[in-house]
Amino acid sequence: METPKDKLWTKEFIVISSVNFFLTLIFYLLMVTIAVFAVDEFHATTSQAGLVTGIFIIGTLIGRLFIGQAIDRIGRKKTLMIGLLCFTITTGLYFVDLGINFLLFNRFLHGITLGIASTAAGTIVADIIPSSRKGEGIGYFSMSTTLATAIGPFIGLFMSQHTTFQIIFSFCLLLGIISLFIGILVTVPELTKATVENTAESKGLKLSSFLEPKALPIAFIILLVSLCYSSVLSFINFYAKEINLVDAASFFFIVYAAAIMVSRPFTGRLMDSKGANYVMYPAIILLSAGLLLLSQSESSFTLLLSGVFIGFGFGNMQSCAQAVAVKVTAPHRIGLATSTYYIFLDAGLGFGPYVLGFLIPLTGYPHLYMILSALALVVIVLYYLLYGRLERKTKVFASSSM
C-alpha cells in the first residue's frame, strides 16, 4: 500500500512534468520549422539554415553547463522561474524581424534559456520523487519528453503546411506563457543550511564545479547511445526515401513513443526493485537489434518494428541513466548530476548528426545503421566496466539513502 511518504503523483510532480512537456514540445516544433523560416523569410543559405537549427543545441549545452553549479545557490524554484520567464521572452522575439544574424542570436539565447529551465525542472523532479520510487518516477517524468518528441514534429510539420510562421510563433508563445504560469504552482522543498554550504564550497573553475564526477560514467554511456539514436532522429526520412517507405516513416516516431509509453511503467518499477542492470543490459541489446533491423528494412512492417525495438531500447535507457546519475550523487549535487546527464545526452543528439554525416557518403544508410548496431554492442562492455559491475557490489538501488 502506498504511504504518503512514497506518493509519486503529487501536484508538484504533475505540474513539473507538464512544464517539461511544453518546453520540449516548443523545442521540437521549432526544430522542424525554423530552417524553412530562415530560408523563406531571410533567403538563408543551406549552411545558414542548418546553423539556425543547430545553434540552439549549443546554447542549451552552455545553459546546462553553467546553471548546474549555480542552481542551489540561486534556489531551485527561482532558477526554474527565471528560466521559464526568459524562455518565454525569447520565444516572443521570433516576431522581431532584424535579419538572419538576429535570428541566430535569438536562437542561441533561446537554447540557453531552455538549458536553464529544463535543468531546473529535472533537478526539482529528482528531489521530489520518493527514493523508493526513483526509477519509476523519473521514467514517468521522462514520458513527458517522449510525448513531446513525437507530437512536436508532427504539429510543426502540419502547421508549416497549413498556417503562417506568425501563427506558429504565436502558438509557441502561448505554450511558453502557459508553462510560466503553471510553473508558479510548484512548491519546492527548502534546502537545508548544510546543503547550501556544501553547494557554495563547489564554486570555482574546477571540473567538479561544472560536471558531477560520480555521474560521468553513466553520462558517457548515454552519450554513446544518443549518438546511435541521433542517426535515426536525423536521417530516417532520407533513408525512407531511399528505400521507398516514406509513408511508413511518418509513423515511425509514433510507434517509437508508443513502445516507450507501454514499457516505462514496468521498467521503472523493475529498476527500483532489482537495479539498473536489469533494465540497461536488455535495453542496449534491443537498441542494437532495432538498428540492425532498420538497416535491413524492406517493408513497412520491418521499419516500424525497428521503431518498437529502438523505443524499448533507447527510450528506456534515457530514464534509467538519469535515475542512476541522481542515485549515485549526494543530495546537494543533484543539480550538477542532472545537468551533467543532459549535457552528454544533448551532445550526442546535437553533434551526432554532424559527425555521422561524414560517414554516410562512405557507407550509405544501411551500412551506417549496421555500424551503429555494432557500436551499441560495444556499449554493453563499456557499461559493465564503468557502472554495471559496480552496482552489484554497492547495491546502490537496494538502499534509500536519498
Side-chain angles (χ1 to χ4, degrees):
M1 184 174 177
E2 186 182 84
T3 64
K5 185 179 179 181
D6 293 329
K7 188 176 181 181
L8 176 59
W9 293 99
T10 61
K11 180 199 74 176
E12 279 68 32
F13 182 80
I14 294 170
V15 168
I16 206 69
S17 296
S18 300
V19 168
N20 186 65
F21 172 75
F22 288 128
L23 291 175
T24 311
L25 182 69
I26 295 170
F27 166 50
Y28 278 96
L29 192 159
L30 290 176
M31 281 290 282
V32 299
T33 57
I34 201 67
V36 178
F37 171 73
V39 172
D40 289 354
E41 296 296 319
F42 303 113
H43 308 291
T45 63
T46 303
S47 60
Q48 286 177 325
L51 185 59
V52 166
T53 301
I55 200 170
F56 187 97
I57 300 290
I58 298 172
T60 302
L61 287 170
I62 292 174
R64 294 196 195 283
L65 188 64
F66 286 96
I67 203 60
Q69 66 157 339
I71 187 170
D72 286 332
R73 294 200 305 275
I74 298 171
R76 295 176 183 181
K77 172 68 177 287
K78 187 181 291 185
T79 302
L80 176 67
M81 297 312 299
I82 291 172
L84 289 175
L85 176 61
C86 294
F87 182 83
T88 304
I89 291 172
T90 48
T91 303
L93 289 179
Y94 286 113
F95 291 102
V96 179
D97 185 356
L98 292 177
I100 187 68
N101 289 330
F102 181 80
L103 178 62
L104 284 167
F105 177 68
N106 188 52
R107 285 288 289 170
F108 179 68
L109 289 181
H110 203 196
I112 291 176
T113 62
L114 177 70
I116 293 171
S118 59
T119 299
T123 302
I124 291 170
V125 84
D127 195 37
I128 63 177
I129 294 171
S131 295
S132 61
R133 304 182 70 178
K134 196 70 74 177
E136 182 186 3
I138 289 179
Y140 280 123
F141 172 74
S142 297
M143 282 169 63
S144 63
T145 299
T146 302
L147 281 172
T149 57
I151 297 172
F154 176 79
I155 294 176
L157 292 173
F158 179 84
M159 292 187 74
S160 65
Q161 293 168 4
H162 297 90
T163 63
T164 65
F165 286 109
Q166 299 301 308
I167 294 177
I168 291 174
F169 296 148
S170 297
F171 179 66
C172 291
L173 181 59
L174 175 63
L175 294 181
I177 293 171
I178 291 172
S179 67
L180 176 62
F181 277 97
I182 64 175
I184 297 173
L185 302 175
V186 176
T187 302
V188 180
E190 292 292 330
L191 297 174
T192 64
K193 183 179 179 180
T195 297
V196 175
E197 290 173 350
N198 283 330
T199 304
E201 290 173 1
S202 68
K203 289 192 294 185
L205 295 178
K206 302 173 292 184
L207 178 64
S208 60
S209 298
F210 298 95
L211 298 172
E212 171 50 50
K214 292 182 179 179
L216 284 175
I218 197 66
F220 180 67
I221 296 300
I222 207 65
L223 170 70
L224 294 179
V225 295
S226 62
L227 173 72
C228 294
Y229 178 66
S230 73
S231 67
V232 179
L233 194 62
S234 299
F235 303 124
I236 185 69
N237 286 332
F238 295 103
Y239 180 46
K241 289 180 181 178
E242 188 176 283
I243 59 177
N244 298 314
L245 293 175
V246 175
D247 290 340
S250 63
F251 292 96
F252 183 92
F253 291 106
I254 301 296
V255 171
Y256 165 83
I260 297 175
M261 297 284 287
V262 169
S263 59
R264 276 273 172 87
F266 304 101
T267 55
R269 294 191 192 104
L270 180 63
M271 180 179 173
D272 287 328
S273 61
K274 296 290 187 179
N277 288 351
Y278 282 80
V279 176
M280 289 294 288
Y281 285 123
I284 297 171
I285 292 171
L286 285 168
L287 173 63
S288 177
L291 290 168
L292 181 61
L293 195 61
L294 184 60
S295 74
Q296 305 300 310
S297 293
E298 295 180 350
S299 67
S300 298
F301 175 78
T302 309
L303 183 75
L304 295 179
L305 183 61
S306 72
V308 173
F309 280 23
I310 293 170
F312 285 150
F314 179 72
N316 284 295
M317 271 186 279
Q318 278 183 276
S319 59
C320 186
Q322 185 179 354
V324 169
V326 170
K327 275 279 191 176
V328 299
T329 305
H332 69 279
R333 291 179 68 87
I334 286 178
L336 269 177
T338 303
S339 66
T340 300
Y341 164 82
Y342 279 123
I343 285 169
F344 279 71
L345 175 67
D346 288 345
L349 294 177
F351 296 110
Y354 177 76
V355 174
L356 297 176
F358 290 104
L359 287 178
I360 292 171
L362 303 174
T363 63
Y365 294 110
H367 286 97
L368 173 69
Y369 290 126
M370 289 179 68
I371 291 170
L372 294 175
S373 175
L375 174 61
L377 292 178
V378 173
V379 170
I380 294 178
V381 179
L382 293 174
Y383 172 78
Y384 171 77
L385 294 174
L386 293 174
Y387 179 78
R389 63 190 176 90
L390 301 176
E391 182 180 82
R392 296 181 63 183
K393 294 178 181 179
T394 60
K395 296 182 180 179
V396 67
F397 283 92
S399 66
S400 299
S401 58
M402 292 191 60

